[in-house]
Amino acid sequence: MKTDWQKWVKFCSFTAAAFLAAVMVLLRFQTLHEPFIYDEVYSWVTANPMYPFGTVWKEVLLRDVNLPLFNILLRGWAYVMPHTTAWLRAFPLLFSLGVIPAVWWAAPTSWERSKKAVLALLFASSFACVQYGNVVRGYSLGILLVAVCTLLALRLIESMYQPQAAGWKTWMAFWGLGFCCAYTHYFSAGIFFITCLFLFFVACGYQKYRARVFWSTALLFALWIPWVFVTMKPMESTGGEWWFHTSKILASWQIIEFNLGASWLSLSILIFVIIGIISLLNTGRPLLKKHMPAVLAGFQIGVFVGVVWVVSLRHNLFMDRYFLMLLPSVYLLLTEILIHLTRRWAGWWVALVVLIGGSTWQHITNYIPRAEDNSGLVRTFNYVADLGYDKVLLLYDQIIYPGPAAQWVMEYYLPKDKPLELIALTPQNSVWMEPPHSLLLVAPLGNFLYLMQSSIKYNFFAGSKRTVFEQTSVLQHPKAVLPIVPQK
């Protein structure tokens, strides 16, 4: 029988946690009108109805390293809703908000209300989910699908040791959403297939549903694997080098802080997890059946990190935002640990307020409103147009988007009130930087060393005057003559 102080601690903790979570839900709306960052412009391009879908599909999506589902759904959204920044941001925001009731619905029927509430509150208050909640990429969709598929897997596992079998709707929902999960992001695909592997191991242990799980997983994998080969071609074209370089040890801590918070918050969560795991291991057997959510979450995290580590020996995948897909596993583990510890001592409910309060603090103290895309391309092209140019040379080497998307992305940044033609730089037309053309050269997303290497490749003067706007450089040949701009 719970004492009054236990009920009081639980009530106060849930009240405070719910209030903070509600604040974090509202904060998801504060960035709807912020300008797109560089990667989001690519999504804007693929969703833009002015570009024929046939061309987008064949020349862009089929040649991209990213999986296509989110961009296809976004294009459908753009056909119905206005093609504006706020409305496009509202699309991923739906998934960021939808994960909150979705985890409540998908949770196993054996879970008590407080356990469902803890998991829902963790998703509602996640600063990582807030900051990436309306980013027009596939992260919110991937998090939602991974979370629901993981919880449905727990439902299916429970049906293996209970008299009542899982209904066909649960099976169809798991495989159907899993298929979507596999085509949203490679990290979400990896976690889904690892979940299927765990499901198969449990099915073998209980000698139930083995063939169903094996052949269904095999079918989905066969439908998904062709995209791996699509991705390998552009990745291998880099000669084994990928597009960023960070040591795995340093990147690992950056990933933890990116997803869990500042050092003190991340360390607190790690200590909490260690305490919880030790306590779980001392609860006696069968651990697998008693704390299946923790075992599944640990399996997902451990196997997935191991797979990413192996793949990164060839192509570095230790990018912080990719690991957003592991948040459902982390929150599932935290939920199981918290519920377990509060059953031993009610004072542990305070940890829920600390977790959610720390996440709220992390977002409020780190969020910086963005006035424009930090690539500097908007300022660059306005600068060129203000000088009186109607043409400019453009160094496309760093713009690795496939097919016509590279040009479409650059055209997004052009001034809306001044005509400016983009001319791709070649070794032959680099002389246009000299009189009589005297064109400027725009080099996006490149440092000084990159420009020096490009000057050899394209045969332009390395000593050209360089003007820098954020990550973009404008080069002017020393003999170039600026056009005469009429006075207003």
Side-chain angles (χ1 to χ4, degrees), residues 143-165:
I143 291 171
L144 169 63
L145 292 172
V146 169
V148 173
C149 286
T150 298
L151 292 170
L152 290 177
L154 288 173
R155 281 193 173 202
L156 297 174
I157 290 171
E158 283 193 356
S159 72
M160 295 180 187
Y161 56 79
Q162 290 180 349
Q164 186 176 359

Side-chain angles (χ1 to χ4, degrees), residues 15 47 65 72 101-102 163 192 204 212 216 225 256 348 355 364 383 435 444 471:
T15 301
V65 297
I72 292 174
F192 170 70
C204 290
R212 181 184 301 182
S216 297
I225 196 64
I256 292 174
W348 278 108
L355 287 172
I364 292 175
Y383 168 78
Q471 304 171 25

Side-chain angles (χ1 to χ4, degrees), residues 157-467:
I157 290 171
E158 283 193 356
S159 72
M160 295 180 187
Y161 56 79
Q162 290 180 349
Q164 186 176 359
W168 66 270
K169 291 183 179 179
T170 304
W171 284 103
M172 293 300 295
F174 177 74
W175 298 120
L177 294 175
F179 180 80
C180 295
C181 193
Y183 271 93
T184 298
H185 193 279
Y186 278 103
F187 275 40
S188 63
I191 297 171
F192 170 70
F193 286 118
I194 289 170
T195 304
C196 291
L197 178 63
F198 184 85
L199 190 62
F200 178 70
F201 287 158
V202 177
C204 290
Y206 285 101
Q207 297 185 355
K208 197 173 183 181
Y209 305 135
R210 288 173 295 180
R212 181 184 301 182
V213 173
F214 178 84
W215 290 113
S216 297
T217 303
L219 176 61
L220 288 187
F221 189 79
L223 294 173
W224 172 79
I225 196 64
W227 283 92
V228 175
F229 297 107
V230 172
T231 301
M232 288 304 295
K233 185 176 180 180
M235 290 182 70
E236 290 296 338
S237 66
T238 63
E241 294 292 330
W242 197 218
W243 60 280
F244 67 97
H245 307 272
T246 306
S247 68
K248 295 180 179 61
I249 300 300
L250 174 61
S252 297
W253 186 249
Q254 291 176 343
I255 289 167
I256 292 174
E257 288 192 322
F258 179 87
N259 288 276
L260 299 183
S263 297
W264 71 268
L265 182 57
S266 296
L267 284 173
S268 299
I269 293 174
L270 291 176
I271 292 172
F272 176 76
V273 169
I274 292 172
I275 293 172
I277 291 176
I278 293 173
S279 181
L280 288 174
L281 293 174
N282 289 325
T283 57
R285 298 185 180 184
L287 178 65
L288 186 66
K289 189 173 179 180
K290 268 188 170 183
H291 301 290
M292 184 64 73
V295 178
L296 173 56
F299 185 84
Q300 288 174 322
I301 295 170
V303 175
F304 183 74
V305 171
V307 170
V308 171
W309 187 281
V310 172
V311 174
S312 294
L313 296 176
R314 177 67 176 173
H315 301 290
N316 188 9
L317 298 179
F318 274 72
M319 171 60 75
D320 45 20
R321 63 179 180 269
Y322 294 171
F323 284 82
L324 288 166
M325 302 302 167
L326 266 183
L327 283 178
S329 305
V330 173
Y331 294 153
L332 180 61
L333 180 62
L334 291 176
T335 299
E336 185 67 17
I337 288 174
L338 181 62
I339 294 299
H340 165 72
L341 292 177
T342 55
R343 286 171 179 166
R344 290 194 158 191
W345 182 54
W348 278 108
W349 282 117
V350 177
L352 178 63
V353 182
V354 174
L355 287 172
I356 293 180
S359 185
T360 305
W361 172 89
Q362 177 73 19
H363 174 74
I364 292 175
T365 58
N366 286 271
Y367 168 68
I368 302 176
R370 187 171 60 247
E372 65 177 50
D373 173 27
N374 59 9
S375 68
L377 286 164
V378 171
R379 293 176 60 198
T380 296
F381 288 129
N382 278 308
Y383 168 78
V384 173
D386 288 342
L387 290 177
Y389 286 97
D390 58 6
K391 298 178 181 178
V392 65
L393 294 171
L394 185 65
L395 184 55
Y396 275 97
D397 286 19
Q398 291 289 88
I399 306 168
I400 59 176
Y401 292 129
Q407 180 180 345
W408 293 342
V409 167
M410 289 298 101
E411 290 175 350
Y412 170 84
Y413 294 100
L414 294 179
K416 302 301 182 285
D417 57 341
K418 300 174 184 176
L420 187 60
E421 179 185 353
L422 303 179
I423 302 174
L425 180 68
T426 67
Q428 292 73 35
N429 66 19
S430 61
V431 295
W432 293 359
M433 294 179 65
E434 305 173 20
H437 296 86
S438 298
L439 295 184
L440 300 182
L441 171 62
V442 172
L445 310 175
N447 55 27
F448 181 74
L449 177 60
Y450 160 71
L451 293 176
M452 294 300 98
Q453 294 170 341
S454 298
S455 68
I456 299 173
K457 178 179 178 180
Y458 290 98
N459 193 31
F460 62 82
F461 183 55
S464 297
K465 176 185 175 182
R466 180 180 177 225
T467 305

